[in-house]
Amino acid sequence: MLEPDVPLRLQLAVPGQPIRLFESSEPSISIGRGVGNVLFLENPHVSTHHGRMDVGPNGVTFTDLGSTNGSMILRGDEKLPAPGGGPGVPLRVGDRVVMGDSEEPVVAILLDDGRGGAVHPAKDEVAHTAVAPKPIDPEAAGTVVARFSIEQLGGLPESLTKEPRVAAAIYDLARAAGSEDLTTVVDRAATALFNLSPQASHFFAGVLETNKNEFRRTFYRARGRSGEQPAWRVSRALLARVITSREACMVADASVELATETVQLQKIKSAICVPLWRAGEVWGVLSADTREGGAPFTERDLEVVTVLGSLVTLALVNADMMGRLKARGEALEGENRYLQEALKRAGRFNEIIGRSPAMQRVFEQLAKVARTDATVLIEGETGTGKELVARAIHNQSARKDRIFLGQNCGALPDTLLESELFGHVRGAFTGATHDKKGLFTIADGGTIFLDEIGETTQAMQQRLLRVLQEGEVRPVGSTRTHKVNVRVVSATNRDLEQEVKEGRFREDLLYRLKVVPIRLPPLRERQDDIPLLVEHFLAQYAQELERGALTFNPEALAALKAYAWPGNIRELQNEMQRVAIQADPDQVLGPKDLSAKVTGSSKFKPAVGQDNSQGGLKELMDAVEAQILRDRLAALQDNVTRAAESLGLTREGLHKKLKRFGLR
């Protein structure tokens, strides 16, 4: 049995590292890959807080702290489970605690109390511990000879400016700081340290994870050796202190100030550690130390390491930024390829759904105007799809490879809208801290869509008129103008001619905007398109919500076609989304699944649901006749023979009428 005052001794085998010895007199030893653990294990398969060993009067116990990959106790050929979060498992000398990956685990073997008679590692196999030692009492007397707070770091101290070697080393490192390869930067930083500080024998740089509990990347360098030196370690106590205090620190006598197993086993004489920081946040640490036989560091060495730390930080920031830009560039390239392929697939306005005569007339207008540079005014009620039509015009134009930008003119007050459209210069108004490009400048060569153009003021209309007449914009607060080549497509749900008569809209601007007017019919004028739109939106939301194949029965479709849809396509889309959310997978939907406002309108009413003020008598009578045919077929569940008999028609005669009205 181990007595409480006898140090705990473990033989550690970590994949990829030499076998090493760990000793501690602590009553409780936390184990994991987090830097705050007493037993720090650099292994990706060990959890941040993996387990704990407790030393008590009755011996040693091991407790798994709910680790991801679990733990197990091997006692000879016997396997003892160590369930996560369960009670501690009593250990015997020679027991092997297995942690992490089952193929390449971390193994900790419990050794005897040091008085002989049990398992001992071979002396040539024992390396040095990687332990994060006990916290240091900041009030305790020690030998910290200098500190710099994080706000004091950066810049070249005046005392170093007179040393040509320093300037040359810093220049060389600054050139490397622009490299995307951090290893190159670290190599040059270590070389500079060993050249400028003869006392320094070991160099370490570590990049912290976001939670600062562990290192994401580590770099070890030693004087006279190339590459990594994983067999030696740095003082984790000093690293933790610098990360927590956010101060650069130099310790003249580590054996007194730190007094940890690492310091003793590694024979660290003197140490320096500085935080690597950006915008007040600690990203990592850089440290240097001298070992047995070396002279202690001086304050000049601290200044050297501080400057090196600033340059290494710059390299980290550059590498991080370049990595993000590279990833973003690859993502944008992929998005661009996808959009180009989508445009090729789009064909002739295939993104707009509609087969009704009213929409066919719209398609004919779009085909004629799309490949010109004429300004287009899209008129229609709210929710009829004006922006979708504007995008279709752009996608079928010669400008399709350039940008399309949209702005709702009714969403911003006049001052903000002016800045958004035309840009501003620094100091133009309170809060204008930098120059800003407007949408007209950004969309140069492309198309800009001005939605709700009827909501603009007279002053804004004057500025828009200048852009259309002269093809130039002037940012807010600037005295200079610049040319732009932008196609303008605008939209409104107002009667702009009536607005002109009432003095709220400029007549000359209306003429400029309405070179080609396109009227989008409300949904009540294109009832034949309702089943197509219903099928499209219902399939879209069913797929998003994983509802399988949702369909409507004839009664529900009849109710959908009978409703006036004052909110037009947008209202229909919202209704389909609500229905899909509440539906069961692969459900056949009926009238009960629709909103009460939809099912409350069970009959087509031409006086209300149809605009009788437009169109000839024949068109209006055709619309009434088509609705009667739809209603009779719906009532008879699409039985053509019975519908023909009830209407006094032959079956062939009804088929001709159905074909004429696009109902079959």
Side-chain angles (χ1 to χ4, degrees):
M1 292 293 181
L2 289 174
E3 298 297 332
D5 58 340
V6 175
L8 173 71
R9 304 181 70 241
L10 298 173
Q11 177 177 288
L12 294 175
V14 181
Q17 301 178 20
I19 296 173
R20 62 182 183 267
L21 177 67
F22 168 77
E23 293 182 332
S24 176
S25 58
E26 292 293 312
S28 182
I29 296 89
S30 58
I31 304 171
R33 73 169 189 266
V35 294
N37 288 288
V38 176
L39 178 50
F40 173 79
L41 298 173
E42 289 186 281
N43 184 276
H45 302 294
V46 173
S47 297
T48 303
H49 303 289
H50 195 100
R52 187 184 69 247
M53 285 190 183
D54 297 300
V55 183
N58 297 321
V60 181
T61 60
F62 172 80
T63 303
D64 186 287
L65 300 179
S67 63
T68 301
N69 292 324
S71 307
M72 180 178 293
I73 312 299
L74 298 181
R75 182 173 296 161
D77 295 331
E78 184 181 3
K79 295 181 180 180
L80 304 178
V89 179
L91 299 180
R92 300 177 186 174
V93 172
D95 282 356
R96 290 166 290 169
V97 180
V98 180
M99 297 169 283
D101 182 43
S102 59
E103 298 295 328
E104 294 184 329
V106 173
V107 180
I109 303 176
L110 180 63
L111 306 180
D112 69 354
D113 59 7
R115 293 177 287 196
V119 180
H120 288 277
K123 289 184 179 180
D124 57 353
E125 292 181 327
V126 178
H128 302 301
T129 177
V131 164
K134 297 178 291 184
I136 302 300
D137 181 1
E139 302 299 326
T143 57
V144 176
V145 296
R147 281 194 179 97
F148 289 138
S149 69
I150 197 171
E151 290 77 12
Q152 296 172 301
L153 300 177
L156 184 63
E158 184 178 355
S159 60
L160 296 179
T161 58
K162 301 176 182 179
E163 298 187 39
R165 286 195 311 145
V166 173
I170 290 174
Y171 174 72
D172 186 58
L173 181 55
R175 291 176 60 191
S179 172
E180 189 177 351
D181 182 13
L182 281 183
T183 301
T184 300
V185 177
V186 170
D187 285 339
R188 295 198 181 184
T191 299
L193 171 69
F194 296 143
N195 288 338
L196 299 176
S197 180
Q199 300 96 318
S201 60
H202 292 76
F203 171 97
F204 169 81
V207 183
L208 289 166
E209 291 283 10
T210 304
N211 58 16
K212 297 182 174 60
N213 281 334
E214 55 189 272
F215 287 111
R216 174 162 49 94
R217 293 194 67 178
T218 55
F219 303 89
Y220 297 88
R221 300 293 184 269
R223 183 184 291 275
R225 306 179 202 173
S226 61
E228 302 285 347
Q229 300 295 329
W232 59 268
R233 294 291 180 265
V234 295
S235 172
R236 297 273 168 178
L238 184 58
L239 303 186
R241 173 187 294 187
V242 168
I243 293 169
T244 303
S245 67
R246 298 156 55 86
E247 290 182 331
C249 183
M250 183 176 74
V251 177
D253 191 345
S255 63
V256 175
E257 173 65 16
L258 302 176
T260 64
E261 288 87 348
T262 300
V263 170
Q264 294 171 1
L265 293 170
Q266 295 284 297
K267 300 179 181 179
I268 297 175
K269 178 68 175 177
S270 182
I272 293 174
C273 185
V274 300
L276 307 178
W277 63 282
R278 176 191 182 191
E281 289 295 321
V282 177
W283 274 31
V285 291
L286 186 148
S287 75
D289 58 57
T290 65
R291 305 283 164 130
E292 186 177 35
F297 285 127
T298 66
E299 289 195 37
R300 175 191 173 282
D301 297 307
L302 177 59
E303 292 176 346
V304 168
V305 176
T306 299
V307 173
L308 297 180
S310 297
L311 293 173
V312 171
T313 299
L314 176 62
L316 292 177
V317 173
N318 285 344
D320 180 72
M321 187 178 300
M322 292 175 70
R324 291 174 182 270
L325 288 174
K326 184 178 180 181
R328 182 56 182 156
E330 291 173 351
L332 288 174
E333 185 179 351
E335 291 173 8
N336 185 57
R337 285 197 302 270
Y338 172 80
L339 290 174
Q340 292 297 332
E341 291 172 1
L343 287 175
K344 292 177 182 178
R345 292 193 302 266
R348 183 182 176 275
F349 309 115
N350 286 348
E351 62 271 32
I352 304 175
I353 298 173
R355 297 177 186 169
S356 63
M359 286 306 298
Q360 292 303 315
R361 288 192 292 270
V362 171
F363 290 143
E364 291 174 4
Q365 288 180 290
L366 293 178
K368 293 176 181 178
V369 75
R371 296 192 177 279
T372 72
D373 271 345
T375 56
V376 178
L377 177 63
I378 305 172
E379 300 172 300
E381 297 178 6
T382 299
T384 50
K386 295 187 287 293
E387 182 171 355
L388 183 64
V389 170
R391 286 185 180 275
I393 292 173
H394 172 78
N395 291 339
Q396 294 299 319
S397 73
R399 299 171 180 263
K400 62 184 178 181
D401 293 328
R402 306 302 292 270
I403 195 169
F404 173 92
L405 293 177
Q407 175 61 47
N408 187 329
C409 298
L412 295 175
D414 217 33
T415 52
L416 291 180
L417 180 61
E418 185 179 21
S419 172
E420 193 70 19
L421 293 179
F422 309 118
H424 64 250
V425 297
R426 180 180 179 183
F429 49 84
T430 302
T433 57
H434 59 278
D435 292 354
K436 175 187 175 181
K437 290 184 178 180
L439 296 183
F440 273 97
T441 302
I442 298 172
D444 192 18
T447 304
I448 190 167
F449 173 57
L450 301 177
D451 198 7
E452 304 300 346
I453 190 68
E455 304 293 331
T456 54
T457 64
Q458 290 273 344
M460 179 57 65
Q461 292 166 23
Q462 172 62 37
R463 298 210 62 182
L464 289 171
L465 181 62
R466 180 182 180 86
V467 175
L468 293 173
Q469 286 179 332
E470 309 295 337
E472 59 184 26
V473 297
R474 185 176 67 190
V476 179
S478 176
T479 58
R480 303 174 62 181
T481 61
H482 58 271
K483 291 287 186 179
V484 292
N485 176 17
V486 179
R487 182 181 192 175
V488 175
V489 178
S490 54
T492 182
N493 60 5
R494 294 188 179 191
D495 184 346
L496 292 188
E497 292 184 355
Q498 185 63 32
E499 295 289 304
V500 169
K501 293 178 182 179
E502 297 178 6
R504 290 191 293 270
F505 201 85
R506 294 181 62 102
E507 187 175 23
D508 48 1
L509 178 60
L510 178 59
Y511 291 150
R512 288 283 182 179
L513 295 174
K514 200 174 182 178
V515 174
V516 179
I518 294 179
R519 177 183 176 272
L520 291 186
L523 195 52
R524 61 181 176 273
E525 292 182 16
R526 43 182 297 210
Q527 287 188 317
D528 293 344
D529 293 332
I530 290 178
L532 298 175
L533 292 165
V534 166
E535 180 182 3
H536 170 75
F537 290 130
L538 195 61
Q540 172 186 329
Y541 291 120
Q543 181 178 8
E544 289 180 7
L545 299 169
E546 298 181 352
R547 295 292 191 268
L550 300 178
T551 56
F552 283 106
N553 64 23
E555 292 80 5
L557 281 174
L560 289 167
K561 292 172 70 175
Y563 181 55
W565 299 107
N568 294 295
I569 297 174
R570 185 178 299 127
E571 183 183 5
L572 175 63
Q573 183 177 3
N574 293 340
E575 178 73 8
M576 293 303 100
Q577 184 179 26
R578 185 198 64 78
V579 167
I581 290 173
Q582 297 181 343
D584 295 324
D586 301 313
Q587 180 180 350
V588 177
L589 303 160
K592 63 180 178 57
D593 298 300
L594 299 173
S595 301
K597 63 181 180 181
V598 176
T599 55
S601 177
S602 60
K603 188 175 181 181
F604 179 75
K605 301 174 182 177
V608 177
Q610 180 172 315
D611 184 1
N612 294 327
S613 64
Q614 298 191 24
L617 180 61
K618 183 177 184 305
E619 290 179 333
L620 295 175
M621 293 303 295
D622 284 347
V624 173
E625 185 177 1
Q627 184 60 40
I628 292 172
L629 295 178
R630 279 192 292 265
D631 291 343
R632 190 60 56 91
L633 285 170
L636 296 174
Q637 299 181 343
D638 270 359
N639 189 315
V640 177
T641 301
R642 292 178 59 194
E645 291 174 354
S646 67
L647 292 169
L649 299 171
T650 64
R651 180 182 174 86
E652 291 75 15
L654 179 56
H655 270 299
K656 288 181 180 180
K657 286 183 176 290
L658 293 176
K659 184 176 181 180
R660 173 188 167 194
F661 294 123
L663 301 179
R664 283 291 185 274

